[in-house]
Amino acid sequence: MHRTHTCGELTLTDLGKTVVLSGWVQKSRDLGGMTFIDVRDRYGITQLVFDAADDDALRSKARELGREYVIKVTGQVIERESKNPKLATGDIELKVSSLEILNPAKLPPFTIEDDTDGGDDLRMKYRYLDLRRSPVRNNLILRHKLAQETRKYLDGQDFLEVETPVLIKSTPEGARDFVVPSRMNPGEFYALPQSPQTFKQLLMVSGFDRYFQIVKCFRDEDLRADRQPEFTQIDCEMAFVEQEDILRVFEGLIKHLFKAVKGIDLGDIPRMPYEEAMRLYGSDKPDLRFGMPFVELNDTLKGVGFPVFDQAELVVGIKAEGCATYTRKQLDALTDFVKRPQIGASGLVYLRYNEDGTLKSSVDKFYTPLQLEQWAAAFDAKPGDLLLVMAGQTDKVRKQLGELRLEMGSQLGLRNKGRYTPLWVVDFPLLEWDEESGRYHAMHHPFTSPKPEDISLLDSQPGNVRANAYDLVINGTEVGGGSIRIHDSQLQSLMFKHLGFSAEEAQKQFGFLLDAFTYGAPPHGGIAFGFDRLAAIFAELDSIRDVIAFPKNNSGRDVMIDSPSVISDEQLTELAITTKRP
Amino acid sequence: MHRTHTCGELTLTDLGKTVVLSGWVQKSRDLGGMTFIDVRDRYGITQLVFDAADDDALRSKARELGREYVIKVTGQVIERESKNPKLATGDIELKVSSLEILNPAKLPPFTIEDDTDGGDDLRMKYRYLDLRRSPVRNNLILRHKLAQETRKYLDGQDFLEVETPVLIKSTPEGARDFVVPSRMNPGEFYALPQSPQTFKQLLMVSGFDRYFQIVKCFRDEDLRADRQPEFTQIDCEMAFVEQEDILRVFEGLIKHLFKAVKGIDLGDIPRMPYEEAMRLYGSDKPDLRFGMPFVELNDTLKGVGFPVFDQAELVVGIKAEGCATYTRKQLDALTDFVKRPQIGASGLVYLRYNEDGTLKSSVDKFYTPLQLEQWAAAFDAKPGDLLLVMAGQTDKVRKQLGELRLEMGSQLGLRNKGRYTPLWVVDFPLLEWDEESGRYHAMHHPFTSPKPEDISLLDSQPGNVRANAYDLVINGTEVGGGSIRIHDSQLQSLMFKHLGFSAEEAQKQFGFLLDAFTYGAPPHGGIAFGFDRLAAIFAELDSIRDVIAFPKNNSGRDVMIDSPSVISDEQLTELAITTKRP
C-alpha cells in the first residue's frame, strides 16, 4: 500500500497515529539537527520532520531529496510547535520513521509554486509540470465540478445525454471544417463537427425530447486571442417548447451551477432586447457589472455649428462618475484608445463637470455656457463627473463607445471578476446584411424561427424581423446562445427564399435535414453553452487556456507533444492523399 | 405551452383534469361513431378518444390524421371502459376537445413499432425514425443511465474527469490512426486518439491521482462484425496504487452499475489467472454462465495406437451433460462446426454414455471397452452425457475446443443474456511471441509492469513472465482491461531491450513520455472499459450498434448523412493536399 492518508487530511484528531504518505517533495529546509520537508499531493501539503537525534542515517537520506522527488514515508502524527494556520494540516507534522524514494526527479525547468518563474512557452512545453501547480490544478477541479453539476441538473430535468458522432460530413456553411481522409473510401473525407446541430435536431425528430451533451467541437479558424481549434460545448435541445420554456430551464441550470459550485445565489436573470442592448451599451453582450448607459445627444448637441456632430448620424456619450479629475494626459490616452485600429473612432469629445461647478469641454468654442449646462443636464451629471462623447454612423459609433465604456469600467475598477451579472439578451434580428455578398445572412442559422408577429415584415423590412433567438451573457461575455427552430416546411421555404437560396440549393445543402422534417418534426429549440468559457468565468480567469488540461497555442500547435506532425509515406499512400513536406 | 403532461404519466388520480398533450400518432382506429388514437412521446402512450356525438367535425379531423403526424390535443382525463394493464396510462383515456396538427408526416418507410418490418439498411438510412421505436430508445436511455451512474460513482471516489485532446499526434505503434490535415501547418497532420493513454499517464505525472473520462476514441481498422471506427471508453488511471487497489475500486464501479441500473446484486467478482482460463476454457475471456471445463486426456487416451491422439501435443475434451441423445446428424454438424476455417480444427471425436449404460465412441476400433470406461471416468460422466474430444497443438486445440464449448453452451441454452457472470482474468503474460517479426511484443503495451517476482525470468523464459495486467470479462466478453505501468526508468529500459527496441528507437517513439517520467512519476496504473460493449451487455444485446445513436456501417459509412463524402477543391487546396476522386 502506497499510502494510508492523503497529504491534505491529517489534523490534531490523528495525533499518535502511524500513517503512510506518498507525494512530491515541495521544499526542504534544515534547522539544527532536523530536516523539514513539505510533501505534496493533489489534496494538500504535509510537513515531514526527520530528526538526526532519532536516526542520523534517515535524516541524511532526507537531506539528499531533491525538489519533486516522489517519496513514500511512514511516520507518526505529532503536534507542531509552530503551527501554520494557512495549511489544512498546519497543526501537525509527521515524525518520519522510514523513507522510500519511489522515483527521483530531475530539476524542473521552472518552480512548481503558486507563482512560478516559468514563462508561457516553457510552461506549455512542460504542461504536465505546470499542471502540478495548485492554481492550474484547481481550475481543472472546478471544471470537473461544473461538468458534474451540469449533468446532475439536466438529468434531474429528464434530459438524456446522447453521444453524437465525431466523424461526420463536411458542409459548406459556417466556419472551416477539420476533415479526416477515409482509407476505406478513398478520395472521401469525414469532417469533425463544428457543433452537433444537425444531430440534435434529428434527435428531436426522433422524439428524444430533452437532449444534452457535453461535447468536443472543432473549428479550423485562424486562432484569435482566446480560441482553440477544439473546444467543449454544453449542447442542449428540447421539443414541444417555446422560447420561454428554454429560458426557464437553462436559467435554472446557470443558477444551479453558481449555487452548487461557487455558493452564489444568482437571483433571477434579467432580460434585455437586442435593440436595447445596442442602444444603451453598444454591444449585444453588455457587461452589467456597472451601469454607465449611453445617453443620446442628437437633440442636445447637434445643430449648433460643430461640424463633427452636425454631420454625424448619432451623437452619444457616457458619464464617468468622479472622473472630472482626469488629466489632459489621461484624456489623450482615452482618445488614443478609441482611435486604435481595432476600434477605429475618429476622436473623442469630453465635458468636465469640475468640483467647483464649472464646466470645461474640449469643444468650448462651439458651445455656449448655457449649451454646456444643457449637455451636463442631459447626463444628469454632478460635480466631479466626466462626460465622454463620440459621434458617427449609428452602428459604428455605438460599438466604439461600447469599447470606451468597458475601458472606463476597467479603469474605475467596476469589473471585479468575482461579481457576476448574468443577462439574457433576447429578440435578436433574424437576418443580418452581408456587405460582401450583398444579401442577408441568417444571424444565428437558417433554421432559426422568426417571431410570428414579425413574419409579415420579411418582405418589406427584412432587417427588422426579430428571431426567437437568445444569448446568455455574463459579465460582458457571451457564454451561451440558441434559438427556437423552424419546424414548419412552408416557413422554412420562405426563409430560404429570403436567404437567397434556390429550392435546389436549399435541398443540396440541407436536404437531408429537410427530408427528416417531413416525417413529423415537433416544435423544438435549443441552446449551447461554451463550456471552456463558462469554466473560465467561474475560475475568474480571462483565458480559456487555463481551464483546458492540454491546450494548443495560437498556431493550433500542441508544443508539449509537438503536434501536428509529419506522417509517414505509408500512411499517406494508404489514405490515397499526397501533400507537400513542410 | 405545448403540453401540460407527457404521454406516459396520466392515471386515475388525474380523472377530470383538463390537460394538454403533444406527441406522435402511433395508431388510429374507428369504432362506431368514435375514433381512438394512440398518441406517443418518449415517456409513453396515451389513448385519445374523439366522439362524433360530441363534435362531429373534430372527429372527422381526427380520422384524417396519418401515422406519425405530430399533434397537440386538449381534453379531459376520463376512465377507460376496457382498461389496458400493459400500459402505464392504461386506466384512462383523454376525451379530446381540441386538436392541432403541429406537423403532418409522410408515411414512414417502415412501421414504427417494437417489431418493425424495416430491414437493417432501411433502418440505418432513416435512423432518426428507427430511434422512435421503444427498444432502440430504451437502449439509449440505458446508456445515459450507465454514463450518469459511472460518473456518480467515480466522482464519489474522488476521481476527476479531465478532458484530453482529440487532435493529437500520430504514433507508429498499435492500430491505424485517423489523421487530420492541418491548414495552419501545411504538410502536417493531427491524429485522432486511439485512447488517451499518454495523456492519462501524464496526468498521473502531474499529480492528478485519480482520473477518468468517458471519451470517444478512434481506430481506422477494417471493421469486423462488431467494431465501429469511433467508439467510447470509460478511461481511468490512478496513482500511488497497486493492482489490488485498482481491482477493488473498479469492482466497486461494476457492482454499482449493476445495482443502480439493473437492480442486480452482482456479489464479489471472482478472479482467475490467465493460465487457468486458457487451460480450463481455452479463452482469456471465458463465459462462466456455464461450467463445462476442459478435461485433459493425455494420460487416458494417448499411447494406445490411435494416431491422431498419439501424435497430438494435447488431447482435451468437454462433457455435454444430457447430450448422449445427439443424433449422427447433430454430431456431424458439430464436426463441421469445428472444421470451419475460422476455427480450423481437423476433427472431433465423441464418446456417448448412453442412458442404458453402454458406451459408444467414434473411435471404438482403437479403444477397448475398459479404456472407454476410463475415458468416461476421467470426465466423471454419467449416463446421458456426451463427451467431445479434440487433439492438436496445445494453444490451438484449446482455442478450438473453447469455441466448441461456447457452441454447446448456446445449444444447451446456458447462455441467457439476462444472467451475468463477471470475472477478473489476471496474471496475463507480459510478452507474446510474434511469428511475423520473430520477436516478442508487449501483450498490453510497452509500459505494462511485469510482476516483480517474475522479472528475473525476463532473460531465461521471457514468455513466462507475468504482467500486472488484468481484464474484466462478463459473459465471455472482455469489457475492460488495464495494467499497472512501469514508473521506474531502469525497468523501462530493460523492457525496451526485451522488446527489441534500441535506446534510440525507444527515445524516438516514446521519448516524450519517457522525458516526463524523469521529472517524478508516481507508481500508477489504470483500466479502460469499452462503454459501447458494456452498454450492449446491460441491454442484453449482441451488437454495439444498437446502443449507439448514429452508428456507421461495416464500410465505416454513415448511410444516413452519406458520409464520408467528397470535399471541395478549395478545401483541398487550403489544406495543401491532393487526392484522387472516387
Side-chain angles (χ1 to χ4, degrees), chain A residues 212-461:
Chain A
F212 84 102
Q213 193 181 187
I214 301 184
V215 60
K216 275 277 174 75
C217 300
F218 307 85
R219 264 176 221 177
D220 187 11
E221 286 180 333
D222 298 316
L223 300 177
R224 277 175 287 154
D226 204 28
R227 289 270 184 91
Q228 288 280 319
E230 55 178 294
F231 56 97
T232 305
Q233 275 188 193
I234 307 173
D235 191 52
C236 309
E237 195 83 1
M238 301 173 76
F240 301 118
V241 291
E242 292 165 348
Q243 174 169 316
E244 193 56 37
D245 302 297
I246 293 191
L247 296 191
R248 182 177 39 76
V249 167
F250 292 98
E251 180 158 335
L253 170 63
I254 295 298
K255 288 165 82 165
H256 172 78
L257 292 180
F258 270 95
K259 185 68 187 170
V261 177
K262 291 189 76 87
I264 291 175
D265 276 311
L266 210 56
D268 290 340
I269 300 182
R271 299 182 190 180
M272 186 182 289
Y274 171 88
E275 185 279 326
E276 183 181 333
M278 296 308 293
R279 182 167 41 82
L280 291 184
Y281 304 100
S283 168
D284 60 359
K285 39 180 195 282
D287 184 349
L288 294 191
R289 281 174 296 185
F290 64 107
M292 215 182 281
F294 293 1
V295 174
E296 300 199 343
L297 301 159
N298 280 11
D299 295 344
T300 315
L301 297 184
K302 282 180 74 164
V304 298
F306 177 41
V308 173
F309 285 1
D310 288 353
Q311 289 155 20
E313 189 181 0
L314 179 66
V315 181
V316 60
I318 52 173
K319 174 173 70 179
E321 293 182 5
C323 293
T325 53
Y326 263 42
T327 61
R328 182 62 200 228
K329 200 175 158 192
Q330 284 175 298
L331 290 164
D332 286 349
L334 289 182
T335 305
D336 290 345
F337 174 83
V338 299
K339 283 181 161 175
R340 284 160 28 167
Q342 309 93 297
I343 299 182
S346 52
L348 178 64
V349 168
Y350 67 82
L351 173 62
R352 267 208 204 99
Y353 199 151
N354 294 315
E355 286 288 353
D356 63 7
T358 58
L359 293 165
K360 168 69 192 150
S361 87
S362 54
V363 288
D364 274 2
K365 64 177 168 180
F366 296 104
Y367 292 90
T368 65
L370 181 63
Q371 284 168 332
L372 293 184
E373 272 175 43
Q374 286 165 342
W375 181 346
F379 280 93
D380 201 14
K382 295 185 301 294
D385 290 349
L386 174 69
L387 310 181
L388 298 168
V389 175
M390 297 169 73
Q393 190 271 326
T394 301
D395 289 352
K396 281 186 185 155
V397 72
R398 281 177 173 166
K399 281 183 191 156
Q400 292 159 353
L401 186 62
E403 294 294 334
L404 180 64
R405 174 182 169 271
L406 292 178
E407 171 64 19
M408 291 310 298
S410 297
Q411 290 196 9
L412 293 172
L414 302 173
R415 304 180 71 193
N416 173 0
K417 288 204 177 62
R419 251 196 79 219
Y420 295 95
T421 54
L423 173 73
W424 287 112
V425 177
V426 297
D427 299 350
F428 272 80
L430 182 68
L431 305 168
E432 63 185 348
W433 182 254
D434 183 59
E435 289 292 346
E436 205 178 313
S437 60
R439 61 180 175 96
Y440 280 100
H441 276 223
M443 195 158 183
H444 197 69
H445 60 61
F447 298 98
T448 300
S449 159
K451 290 206 171 284
E453 62 268 35
D454 288 4
I455 292 178
S456 60
L457 302 177
L458 265 173
D459 278 321
S460 53
Q461 312 168 46

Side-chain angles (χ1 to χ4, degrees), chain A residues 66 70 133 142 258 276 325 335 345 482 554 558 560:
Chain A
V70 189
R133 296 171 51 236
L142 176 89
F258 270 95
E276 183 181 333
T325 53
T335 305
N554 280 348
D558 183 330
M560 183 185 73

Side-chain angles (χ1 to χ4, degrees), chain B residues 45-91:
Chain B
I45 285 177
T46 300
Q47 178 166 294
L48 311 177
V49 54
F50 298 81
D51 191 339
D54 293 330
D55 186 336
D56 194 40
L58 185 66
R59 191 265 173 134
S60 297
K61 190 173 169 189
R63 287 183 78 169
E64 279 160 28
L65 295 174
R67 278 187 180 235
E68 302 302 319
Y69 272 46
V70 189
I71 59 170
K72 171 179 167 180
V73 292
T74 305
Q76 200 178 21
V77 182
I78 60 173
E79 188 163 358
R80 245 162 105 156
E81 270 185 38
S82 59
K83 299 195 168 49
N84 181 349
K86 286 185 196 156
L87 223 54
T89 63
D91 288 344

Side-chain angles (χ1 to χ4, degrees), chain B residues 207-222:
Chain B
F208 272 81
D209 205 288
R210 294 187 157 209
Y211 144 92
F212 84 103
Q213 192 181 188
I214 301 184
V215 61
K216 276 277 174 75
C217 300
F218 306 85
R219 261 174 224 177
D220 186 12
E221 286 180 331
D222 298 317

Side-chain angles (χ1 to χ4, degrees), chain B residues 473-489:
Chain B
V473 173
I474 299 179
N475 294 359
T477 298
E478 180 206 326
V479 297
S483 68
I484 298 295
R485 328 299 181 187
I486 299 171
H487 68 280
D488 178 274
S489 57

